[in-house]
Structure formats: C-alpha cells, structure tokens
Amino acid sequence: MFPDYIFESSWEVCNKVGGIYTVLSTRAKTLQDKMKDHIIFIGPDCWHEKTNPYFKEDSNLLKDWRLHAVEEDGLKLKVGRWNIPGEPVSILVDFEPFYEKKNEIYGKLWELYEVDSLHSYGDYDEASMFSYAAALVVESYYKFYLNDSQKVIYHGNEWMTGLGLLYIHHKLPQIGTIFTTHATSIGRSIAGNNKPLYDYLFAYNGDQMSNELNVQSKHSIEKQTAHYVDCFTTVSDITANECLELLDKPVDVVLPNGFENNFVPKGAIFTRKRKAARKRLLDVANALMGTDLGDDTLIVSTSGRYEFRNKGVDVYIEAMNRLLRDRDLKKTVLAFIEVPGWVGQPRQDLIERLQSGQKYDTPLEVPEITHWLNNMSHDNVLGMLKFLDMHNRKEDNVKLIFLPCYLTGDDGIINMSYYDVILGNDLCIYPSYYEPWGYTPLEAIAFKVPCITTDLAGFGLWANSVKGAESKISDGVEVIHRTDYNYSEVADRIKETVAEYSNFTEDQVKKARANAENLSKKALWSEFIKFYEQAYDIALRRAKERVQELS
C-alpha cells in the first residue's frame, strides 16, 4: 500500500539545526516527484516576523483551508514552500499559544498513554507544544480536504514529535503513523555522560537510566510513542539494537539516510570552487598564525554538532597531537574543527588582517581560534589544546584551528557555506563514538573528499557492508574499529592514516577521490527510498486493521 498523502513533521523543517534537516531536505525531491504536492512538511515557526531563508510564503497556496484553520480552528500558521530542490509544500505553525493549556495536554497524555511529563525541563515544553500544534494542523487539513477513502500517513521525526503522533493515533486512527528516532534520548545521554554504552547495552534498563540521568520525560514520550505508533523506525542497525534494549521495542524497518547529490558542482565549477575554498582556508590560517602555508598543505577537518565525546572531537585532537611527532608525515597539515560553539563575535583583529591583503610573520593572540567565544576559559576544545600545549607554533608541522560557528556564508571570517568549504578539504575525519547514522562523512565523499569514520557510526557500518570488509582510505572511506575502551588505538590509527595519505602519489589521490564519489552514489535516495515505501505499507495496513477493530 502506498499513501495518497504524507504529512511529515520535524523541528528541522525549514529550520536548519542538524543532520535531520539534511535527511528531510534531500529526501523531499524524491517524494515530491512521486507525489506532486501530496507530501506536506510541517515545522515550527521559529522565525516569526524575521525573514526565514529556508521558507517562501505563498498566500494563495491552500488559501481556503488556511483561512478556515485560522478563523475556525484557531491556528496561527504560514503556508508556502520549503526553499530546497523539489520545493515541497510546507506549513510553519506558531505553537506558543498552546503553552497556557500545557498542563491539560500533559494530563490527557498521561491518562491515555502514561507519558510522564512531570520531570520535564529545558526544551521539552517547547518541543511538545510544537508537536501538539503540528498534529492539530494535520487534523484540520484532513477534516477540510480528505476522508476515509484516501490513504494518509503522518510521519514524525525524533521524540519532539511524539506527542503529536499519539494525538493523531487517538483522534484519527485511520491515519497511519510512523515514528523515526534518529538517536534515542537515553542512549545519547549515556554516551554523553562518559558511560560505556556498547559493552553494557544488554544490561542497561532504559527507564532506570533515564531516572539516573534526569531525562525521564524525554525517554517516556519516546518510549510510549515507539510502542503505540503503527510503524516504529530508526536509521541504522546499530541504533535498532539500542532501541530494542533501551526502549524495549524492536523497530519495524531501518530507514538508512540517503543523499541527493544534485547540488554537488560538476566539472569546471567544481574545480573553481575547490580552489576558492582552499585559498580562503589558507588565507584565514596564514593571517591568524602569521604563517605562509601554500597549496601543497594537507587540509583536513572534522565537523558536526558540538558533542565533544560523542562526535569524537576529543580523539581527533589527540590524533593531531600525535601526528605532530610522526616522522612519516610528508606534508604540513592544516586541521580544522568546524563545530558551532557558544560563539560571541568574529575576531576583529583577524578581519583587519584579511582585509589588508598583506602577509604577516607574527601570530595573533590565541592563534587557535577564528571567533571569540562567550566561554573561552571553559570551552572543551580550547581546554584540550591548552592541556596538550598545542598552540600552532611556527615549527609545528600540524596546525589546528577551531572554527566555532555555523558555516552559512555570513560568519564574518570564512564567509562561505559549509558545502563550499568542504570542497577545499583533502581529508575529512569523523571518529564518532555515538553516531546513529552520520551525514558528515556521506557529504564529504559526495564532494570527492575521502574520509575516516568508525564502525560505531551507522554510515561506517553501511560502508563496511558495501565493501564486504573494513574499508581503507584508498577505498574513499576508512572505517576504524571503535569500542568503549580503545580511544588510544583510534587516535593512533587516524594519525597513521593521515601520514599514509600525505605520502600518496597524485594518481593514488585521484583514485581515492574517485572511489569516494562512487561510494556516495550507492547512498542516493533513489537507492534508499524503497525502505520508506516499506514503512508506509506497514503503517497503512496496521491503521486499517485498527479501524476495523474499533468498528
């Protein structure tokens, strides 16, 4: 069974925060081509009166229903299109009016599904009120335009959409519900609190650990949603095992994260953009450190959310520190850490040097960072660099620079988007400890940049499954075996791989880059959308059975 309509909600619809934005925005065109405006995304109206660069409002789109939803159903929303390939219909809803009735909503949630909202804090209320508002949008649209003759899916991503999924399950049982957890809240908390996750996974009790780590409410909504929806899914086999152990619920389908490579530049444009990215990164580094690094410099980077241990930022720094003393290293390495910290402002002294166009032979103060932070003395990256005495000295053949902001093209220093910057890399390194999938390595290889990842990332496991063995850097992706306890061995392996790559001939580099690009094509949405079709079928069949039971 295939749906006539799909409603899909996420906090990251028209709201670029992390990897889920990439999942949805790259998959959208595949579904839009197949469904022609019958795929409708619902996101939070976080921008209010400000211009949202990811959303184009259209006052004529769904005009009759929009007026009804506002005047009759009391919803505050914007209707338009997501500013991505395919331009799917998107509805942004203002959830703030529902705060005043949150206790009533939570009370009903406990009564129907035993979801514990008593211990909520932080972003729980914000996410829940959005989820409730998104469900009201689906209910209003369904009752205005649709009926039981249409096959309809409501798909929610992450625990933030759980409340709305349960609302639809209760109010509109004829709609098939799908819940995708991209990472369990309790699994992420266990890993983020420096507890061994994998060796002891079989022994952990999710409910007990949520009490210990104070994430009871997030765990509760996630667990109950997983148990009640028509189809429960996640993004990799490694997270499927986590769901079984911590949520006490096996997933129905694994939905690996695909990719759409239509925005990867081709031919002469690719070459020009790569040169421009390398020039900008080298110019910034030279201005910051008072060096004269040339185009033969090996540029490497890591990127993602600022999860110091989970994303492997700690082991990346350790590997670069060990590389400083590696005699096999044949090139100067310029290593970047591109994770958004608590950024204050771009460095004015660095801006002045860049604008002057001059060369400098003295470093700026703190030559390890491009933007000032609000917590300079308590930042994990800067703290580890200080502990290891890594200060980008002239004689160091490995220089490490922290770029602590979102690369959206207007950061004040690099002033290029992330996808333009990534082109300038020779290698990308993502030594994740906790990574349900891992878009950053997939993005890297799509841009012909070989990368290093681990088999604790869903993407790393997938890459190994395609290769049939542990992948090496000459294959375009090197997958390092990682456990709860082999931090030092991982750091050594990264060091050895970078040194090995620095010795590659031009032909070996070309081959590795070609292998990277070829592997990325096996992860396109055209290859992975079949798993979603399987999930739609399961959800629709179970919804149909439930309606028959209720009648």
Side-chain angles (χ1 to χ4, degrees), residues 171-290:
K171 287 278 195 172
L172 295 166
Q174 66 271 38
I175 293 180
T177 50
I178 300 175
F179 175 44
T180 300
T181 181
H182 296 256
T184 68
S185 55
I186 185 60
R188 190 185 293 278
S189 295
I190 291 169
N193 279 278
N194 294 323
K195 294 179 180 294
L197 176 63
Y198 302 99
D199 284 359
Y200 294 94
L201 187 59
F202 72 96
Y204 283 126
N205 178 284
D207 298 344
Q208 182 259 321
M209 289 305 296
S210 73
N211 290 330
E212 180 179 326
L213 299 173
N214 198 26
V215 289
Q216 298 100 313
S217 292
K218 290 181 182 180
H219 172 68
S220 181
I221 186 67
E222 187 171 49
K223 181 175 179 178
Q224 297 307 90
T225 305
H227 279 260
Y228 280 99
V229 291
D230 297 307
C231 184
F232 175 43
T233 71
T234 192
V235 297
S236 66
D237 291 334
I238 198 166
T239 315
N241 190 37
E242 188 182 317
C243 291
L244 177 61
E245 297 292 343
L246 299 177
L247 302 181
D248 302 322
K249 176 70 168 68
V251 300
D252 296 298
V253 189
V254 170
L255 305 177
N257 288 335
F259 194 68
E260 203 63 60
N261 64 359
N262 50 15
F263 57 85
V264 177
K266 304 286 191 295
I269 298 173
F270 182 98
T271 304
R272 187 177 74 246
K273 285 197 163 196
R274 175 165 163 77
K275 284 182 179 177
R278 291 183 67 80
K279 183 178 187 307
R280 187 61 184 172
L281 291 169
L282 289 167
D283 285 350
V284 168
N286 287 329
L288 180 65
M289 301 183 297

Side-chain angles (χ1 to χ4, degrees), residues 157-168:
N157 294 273
E158 286 289 70
W159 68 266
M160 290 93 99
T161 61
L163 191 155
L165 282 161
L166 294 177
Y167 179 93
I168 294 296

